[in-house]
Amino acid sequence: MASRNRPRPIRRPLINKDAGGFDQCWATLQSAMTDIHNKNASKLSFENLYRASYKITLVKRGEELFEKVKEFETEWFHKHIIPGVDELVRNNLPSIALIQLATSSSHERREAGERLLRGIRKIWEDHNTSMNLIADMLMYLERSCVETKQASVYATTIGLFRDHILKYGLKDVDGSDQPFIIMDVVIAVVLDLINMDRDGDIVDRNLLRDITGMLEQLYETDEEKENEKLYTTIFEPRFLAASEVFYKAECEKLLRESDAGSWLRHTRRRLLEEEERCVTSISNSTKDNIAAVLEKELILAKMDEFLAMEGSGLKAMVDNDREEDLGILYQLISRIDKSKNTLKTSLMGRVMELGLEIEQTLKNTDFSAPAAAGAAGEGEEGAEGADKPKALSPVAQQTAAAIKWVDDVLKLKGKFDSMLENCFSNDLIIQSAITKSFADFINMFDRGAEFVSLFIDDSLKRGLKGKSDEDAEVVLQKAIILVRYLSDRDLFERYYQKHLGRRLLHNKSEIHIEKELVRRMRAELGNHFTAKFEGMFKDMELSKDLSTNYKDHIRNLGDDDRKSTELAIHVLTTNFWPTDVMGRGVLQDGDASRSDCIFPPSIKRLQESFYKFYCQDRSGRVLTWVPSTGSADIKCFFPKVPGKESGPLSKERRYELNVSTYGMVVLMLFNDLANDESLSFEEIQLKTNIPIPDLTKTLTSLSVPPKFRVLAKEPLTKSVKPTDKFSFNAQFVSKQIKIRVPVISSTSKVEGTEERKETERKNDQTRAHVVDAAIVRIMKQRKELSHTQLTTEVISQLSGRFKPEISLIKKRIEDLLAREYLERMEGDTAAYRYLA
């Protein structure tokens, strides 16, 4: 092929030539066009040809030349191109998808179809090359077309391929009177080959790309508007329609023959294949449109059926931790729904179901077995040192149930946290949905607040001993997660205050971890929520300093009698500590008042000494001694038992007993008794004034467990009754020198039905006061409000602590109306005015 030599500029215009000049120039151009089509352009001088077209255009006969070129090209198509196209199509017709013969195999269709497309491609490439050369030859005419805003020579001549080849009607095919348009035949073959490619056959993708590229270069008209490419107007709609049929049938087959996991992987693979096909076989501009077809037919159409499949649907994916399947599902659903409503709703439903299953499992679990005890931890302090596992007591069983419920909830949370990170890319929409579901089922459980507090109590008391900071961090994170879900935070605060008080007073946990947890609660829930907890910490710190200063004070006095008894005191602020810790929680004979315990004289003198010291720089303070929460270390002497010549009883024994304060008071009664004397239950109660429930527990711990039986009981039964008698057990023997005598049921435990009702009653009373304060605060600021507006603002203000019921708000409004804090507005009974 000859190189495209650019003509030199014309030095002098050629004008006033006779008409014969046109014919001569056209003959030159016509001959050159014939040589170009015959691929003999190497001998042509494009400078002379340019001059010839220039001469014609210059004498204002460019339009005539334009028509001559069109006529020549049209005639060339009919004489030299169309017969070959006709033969090409007829010879390969059995492959065409339009008239697929029953006898034609995919191999036969592929071979014939590719031959047809190669022939079309060859004709197109030849025509395209020829038109480029002709356009160069008629460059000056091209410029005049631009100036007159008519279609260019190249656009017109290249469009002839569209009009005379692609739109050519092939008649008398297979005895049919209906002509077959070449365009339809070409597109049908391309679509058939694409379907073969989808089915795994090997096709010539470069050939397909050349054909679709041809359609991208051709337009509906010679004006060549961008949105009127044949690829866009004809091929792509048919491709998408055929793809819709293909994938609709494929999805139906998957639903019949496969499971949800196969559907997910197949759909993902198809999306990648179609994306690649747009690069290799058709056009990248179709990528979004074909993806939309797949999303409609493979994802959206049957998604609900696939997700509901037994054994492989969403339920099975979640339950069996099929994270890969869930990850693919998330990717697919994200394509069709940015809000992920289907996935979000399904996950929320499954979280709720699993949460309710935890509660149901709890009801069906027998916690009386020793295995349950080992899993849940100690039910009572007295379980320490047991030779073999024992069945849990009813109280310990309830505690074990609480720990199991929280553990199961945390395991479920960990499961979904893993899914959120590994499958759902930490999507905030999914995260919010899961969080809401957890909060819903946790707050549907009426003992959630108590169980969460008890779990934290158990973890901080026993679970962190000897553990690393990393382990402590895990516990802290779990605790905050659980607290964050609770809606009745005021009820949780009540339980946590009680459990925290016991831990602090009995030195059952690490104080720095306690403070860190409260600090995180403050950051999460606000200063008001943690104010009492921080006050408890402050009391403990001040008490520690106070005890140290008192010891120094006694040492400086030189009082040997007081120095023989050491005092470690906790001075607690009433408003910070729970009522049961402060000794105000047990009612005796229906009377809310409790008489003071009668302490031994030596303890009384110690109390008076401390009070005098305490009031030296604190005037107006009142100290109330609370023996129910304290403990004491007592040095006990057990003499040799007469008649025993060998063994432990043949010699004196000294032990150091750690008992409750009540236990100390009871044991000191026996210092002045002879070995053969005893005290009845009633006598002990009269001498000590210890409340009967507490005295029963104290005497049980000192006389019933064999390892701690420092008192002998008559009769020797497992329970203490008012008719029992007690004496000093001179035959007590222990392998240990320091003995810690447990207090029966002294550990934190799940409340019984009556206790829980009492706690809820007290909490409801507190809530009533809180709602009153909120109403008054709002009305003082707003002065006048409708009932609906006031209710909405109260709920909004208190939602951080609890969700007040509408009935409670209405009741408190009525109470405030009666107490004349509010009044109804004239003419509108559903609106209120604040009364200053």
Side-chain angles (χ1 to χ4, degrees), residues 14 40 140 327 360 429 502 531 624 635 719 753 755 810:
L14 302 176
N40 293 324
Y140 195 80
Q360 189 60 42
I429 294 176
R502 289 174 178 171
T624 301
K635 294 181 180 179
S719 60
T753 303
E755 291 176 303
K810 183 177 180 181

Side-chain angles (χ1 to χ4, degrees), residues 610-623:
F610 176 80
Y611 184 71
K612 183 178 180 182
F613 165 78
Y614 182 78
C615 292
Q616 286 179 353
D617 54 357
R618 299 172 182 85
S619 60
R621 297 291 184 91
V622 176
L623 293 182

Side-chain angles (χ1 to χ4, degrees), residues 568-761:
I569 193 92
H570 293 128
V571 179
L572 311 180
T573 304
T574 303
N575 293 336
F576 294 154
W577 295 79
T579 56
D580 58 338
V581 170
M582 297 298 290
R584 305 186 302 277
V586 178
L587 303 183
Q588 188 169 250
D589 299 328
D591 186 3
S593 62
R594 294 187 58 189
S595 301
D596 293 336
C597 172
I598 300 175
F599 290 96
S602 61
I603 302 301
K604 284 186 176 180
R605 288 195 298 271
L606 192 63
Q607 290 175 331
E608 293 170 358
S609 172
F610 176 80
Y611 184 71
K612 183 178 180 182
F613 165 78
Y614 182 78
C615 292
Q616 286 179 353
D617 54 357
R618 299 172 182 85
S619 60
R621 297 291 184 91
V622 176
L623 293 182
T624 301
W625 295 88
V626 185
S628 59
T629 57
S631 63
D633 291 330
I634 301 178
K635 294 181 180 179
C636 295
F637 170 73
F638 292 84
K640 173 183 176 181
V641 177
K644 297 292 183 179
E645 301 298 333
S646 63
L649 298 179
S650 63
K651 53 186 177 181
E652 296 178 350
R653 302 169 313 282
R654 296 179 183 275
Y655 301 108
E656 186 174 316
L657 302 182
N658 176 263
V659 295
S660 67
T661 303
Y662 283 145
M664 174 198 68
V665 173
V666 170
L667 287 177
M668 292 183 73
L669 292 177
F670 294 87
N671 283 340
D672 302 327
L673 291 181
N675 291 340
D676 57 347
E677 291 182 329
S678 64
L679 293 173
S680 68
F681 181 93
E682 293 180 351
E683 289 175 327
I684 295 175
Q685 204 279 326
L686 184 62
K687 289 178 178 293
T688 62
N689 203 30
I690 298 175
I692 291 177
D694 290 333
L695 181 59
T696 301
K697 294 178 183 179
T698 301
L699 289 173
T700 300
S701 64
L702 294 172
S703 63
V704 174
K707 291 189 175 183
F708 313 108
R709 195 176 293 163
V710 294
L711 295 181
K713 184 173 80 72
E714 295 181 6
L716 185 57
T717 59
K718 292 185 178 180
S719 60
V720 173
K721 298 180 180 179
T723 56
D724 292 344
K725 292 184 177 182
F726 301 87
S727 60
F728 180 70
N729 183 13
Q731 297 188 2
F732 176 76
V733 175
S734 176
K735 296 179 180 179
Q736 299 175 337
I737 301 300
K738 292 185 177 181
I739 304 171
R740 187 168 180 267
V741 179
V743 178
I744 301 302
S745 300
S746 67
T747 56
S748 301
K749 61 182 179 65
V750 177
E751 293 181 327
T753 303
E754 294 302 321
E755 291 176 303
R756 189 167 68 257
K757 287 182 178 179
E758 179 64 19
T759 299
E760 291 175 352
R761 184 188 66 80

Side-chain angles (χ1 to χ4, degrees), residues 264-447:
L264 290 170
R265 289 170 176 79
H266 183 85
T267 302
R268 180 178 63 176
R269 178 171 62 84
R270 284 303 197 191
L271 286 165
L272 294 174
E273 287 177 354
E274 291 297 340
E275 184 175 350
E276 181 184 6
R277 184 170 292 111
C278 289
V279 176
T280 61
S281 303
I282 49 176
S283 172
N284 204 45
S285 63
T286 305
K287 182 173 65 175
D288 293 339
N289 291 335
I290 186 60
V293 170
L294 268 71
E295 290 164 0
K296 174 187 174 185
E297 298 301 333
L298 284 184
I299 304 176
L300 191 59
K302 302 295 180 181
M303 180 172 61
D304 292 340
E305 288 90 331
F306 280 112
L307 293 182
M309 279 185 167
E310 189 69 27
S312 66
L314 181 66
K315 180 178 180 294
M317 295 178 198
V318 171
D319 294 352
N320 299 315
D321 296 322
R322 295 175 184 168
E323 293 191 345
E324 182 181 359
D325 288 354
L326 289 169
I328 299 173
L329 178 63
Y330 169 75
Q331 295 171 8
L332 297 184
I333 288 181
S334 298
R335 299 179 68 102
I336 62 173
D337 182 12
K338 298 302 181 184
S339 62
K340 294 100 176 172
N341 283 325
T342 300
L343 180 59
K344 181 175 67 175
T345 303
S346 299
L347 287 173
M348 290 176 70
R350 191 57 190 150
V351 169
M352 183 64 68
E353 291 171 358
L354 292 173
L356 296 178
E357 285 179 14
I358 290 175
E359 184 176 345
Q360 189 60 42
T361 301
L362 195 70
K363 295 178 181 178
N364 299 333
T365 301
D366 180 12
F367 290 96
S368 63
E378 300 172 340
E380 298 180 0
E381 293 182 15
E384 293 181 1
D387 292 332
K388 59 181 180 179
K390 296 181 180 180
L392 292 179
S393 66
V395 169
Q397 290 179 38
Q398 294 181 64
T399 304
I403 302 304
K404 175 174 173 53
W405 181 82
V406 174
D407 279 338
D408 289 347
V409 170
L410 287 173
K411 287 178 183 177
L412 186 62
K413 178 63 169 57
K415 178 188 185 78
F416 278 90
D417 283 346
S418 176
M419 291 179 190
L420 185 65
E421 180 177 357
N422 300 331
C423 310
F424 307 138
S425 301
N426 290 315
D427 189 290
L428 291 178
I429 294 176
I430 303 298
Q431 183 181 21
S432 298
I434 292 175
T435 299
K436 183 180 184 303
S437 299
F438 268 88
D440 288 344
F441 87 75
I442 287 174
N443 290 297
M444 284 177 62
F445 185 51
D446 58 359
R447 307 182 80 166

Side-chain angles (χ1 to χ4, degrees), residues 19-154:
F22 176 87
D23 295 334
Q24 182 180 358
C25 290
W26 166 242
T28 301
L29 295 172
Q30 185 179 31
S31 175
M33 292 168 64
T34 302
D35 288 338
I36 288 172
H37 280 297
N38 291 328
K39 300 182 180 179
N40 293 324
S42 59
K43 64 180 182 180
L44 297 177
S45 171
F46 276 82
E47 181 178 354
N48 292 335
L49 295 174
Y50 177 83
R51 288 176 180 274
S53 67
Y54 177 79
K55 290 178 182 179
I56 295 174
T57 306
L58 199 63
V59 296
K60 307 300 183 182
R61 299 185 69 176
E63 186 175 346
E64 187 177 351
L65 174 61
F66 190 90
E67 293 299 324
K68 286 282 188 181
V69 172
K70 284 180 61 177
E71 290 174 7
F72 175 85
E73 292 300 330
T74 302
E75 184 178 357
W76 184 271
F77 271 114
H78 284 284
K79 286 184 178 181
H80 303 283
I81 306 300
I82 291 178
V85 173
D86 191 292
E87 182 180 1
L88 176 67
V89 175
R90 289 179 187 277
N91 289 342
N92 296 284
L93 197 57
S95 73
I96 299 171
L98 291 173
I99 54 171
Q100 291 181 16
L101 301 180
T103 57
S104 62
S105 66
S106 61
H107 176 74
E108 292 172 337
R109 296 202 319 275
R110 183 178 69 254
E111 292 292 331
E114 289 183 351
R115 284 196 300 270
L116 171 64
L117 295 184
R118 290 191 189 98
I120 296 296
R121 179 177 65 181
K122 179 66 169 59
I123 295 170
W124 161 253
E125 288 175 348
D126 289 347
H127 179 68
N128 194 30
T129 301
S130 298
M131 294 309 99
N132 273 293
L133 292 174
I134 290 173
D136 286 347
M137 181 179 70
L138 303 175
M139 186 179 299
Y140 195 80
L141 180 61
E142 285 275 54
R143 292 176 181 174
S144 66
C145 291
V146 173
E147 293 173 0
T148 57
K149 296 184 179 179
Q150 69 182 76
S152 66
V153 175
Y154 177 79

